[in-house]
Amino acid sequence: MASLHERKLAIVADLHWSLEEMRAKEAGKQFLLNVAQFLPVYSPALRQIYSDYTTYFTKTSVVILPDPVDFTCTYSHIPEESIKSTGLLLYPSADGLAVNMRLRNKKNISMPLQKAFGLIQQQLRGPFLPIIKRGDLRDFKELTPCLHLNALVPNKAGSLSRFSQRDIAKALAERSNELQLAAHLLGA
């Protein structure tokens, strides 16, 4: 079992994201500010999802501060295995937000966010619940920032009751729908 000091360091690292490797730091900061209200953040060390948080920036990092007052925006006891990497990259484009995805034939394509999320929801036969975490803010092509999207798979959170799984899924689906509605306003 990790020591208390190691656990504290892991918690701090989950919510303190380095920007040092990004070439487009300022564009990355602005992009994250534009979409942060729509994309919940996951902390593996605390096993929590924050749907409402404040984003602060230092010269070389992003600091995520969960809302300390509204506990209804924090979902606890979320096992890391219920958060799946999708390989989807969300980035600003001239027409709004776009998603770059890899097809089964290993070819990458980009499409508008609404179309991409619609296809994903068809494949899942249910809601797509995007989440971000440390390491997901990165460079895309040249100086365009992007966010790698993870997804919550509620039925993989076996430690939660079905009621809790549905409640979290509903809240995150609302955020995803809001992102789709605002996508055309959030581009480059």
Side-chain angles (χ1 to χ4, degrees):
M1 181 162 204
S3 72
L4 181 60
H5 179 70
E6 290 170 335
R7 184 161 160 70
K8 285 181 180 178
L9 289 176
I11 291 167
V12 169
D14 281 353
L15 302 176
H16 189 165
W17 306 352
S18 174
L19 295 174
E20 293 203 20
E21 294 190 21
M22 283 191 75
R23 293 174 296 184
K25 288 177 185 56
E26 291 307 314
K29 289 177 183 179
Q30 188 58 54
F31 178 56
L32 183 59
L33 276 175
N34 289 346
V35 299
Q37 64 184 317
F38 305 107
L39 293 170
V41 170
Y42 179 68
S43 167
L46 288 174
R47 297 173 26 133
Q48 292 182 329
I49 294 174
Y50 308 109
S51 66
D52 201 10
Y53 54 91
T54 305
T55 308
Y56 292 96
F57 297 99
T58 68
K59 189 173 184 177
T60 60
S61 63
V62 177
V63 180
I64 305 294
L65 294 177
D67 187 334
V69 178
D70 189 357
F71 64 90
T72 64
C73 296
T74 299
Y75 303 99
S76 300
H77 309 293
I78 311 296
E80 196 166 357
E81 51 274 2
S82 68
I83 307 296
K84 298 295 181 190
S85 175
T86 65
L88 301 172
L89 300 176
L90 178 70
Y91 65 94
S93 72
D95 299 323
L97 294 178
V99 175
N100 183 277
M101 63 175 62
R102 184 175 295 250
L103 300 175
R104 289 190 178 132
N105 64 4
K106 308 284 188 212
K107 186 176 181 178
N108 282 350
I109 63 164
S110 289
M111 63 182 68
L113 177 127
Q114 290 172 313
K115 183 176 180 183
F117 278 23
L119 288 172
I120 294 163
Q121 288 173 352
Q122 272 183 330
Q123 289 177 341
L124 294 174
R125 294 187 178 115
F128 173 58
L129 308 172
I131 289 184
I132 56 175
K133 59 184 185 176
R134 188 177 116 238
D136 286 340
L137 180 62
R138 50 183 86 155
D139 289 315
F140 187 51
K141 297 177 180 173
E142 301 199 17
L143 296 177
T144 302
C146 73
L147 279 164
H148 170 263
L149 298 178
N150 299 282
L152 173 68
V153 181
N155 61 4
K156 296 278 186 187
S159 60
L160 298 176
S161 69
R162 284 217 184 274
F163 175 77
S164 292
Q165 290 175 15
R166 282 193 304 262
D167 185 44
I168 294 168
K170 180 181 175 194
L172 298 188
E174 287 174 11
R175 293 290 170 125
S176 179
N177 291 336
E178 290 169 359
L179 177 63
Q180 291 177 65
L181 292 173
H184 67 285
L185 302 171
L186 301 172

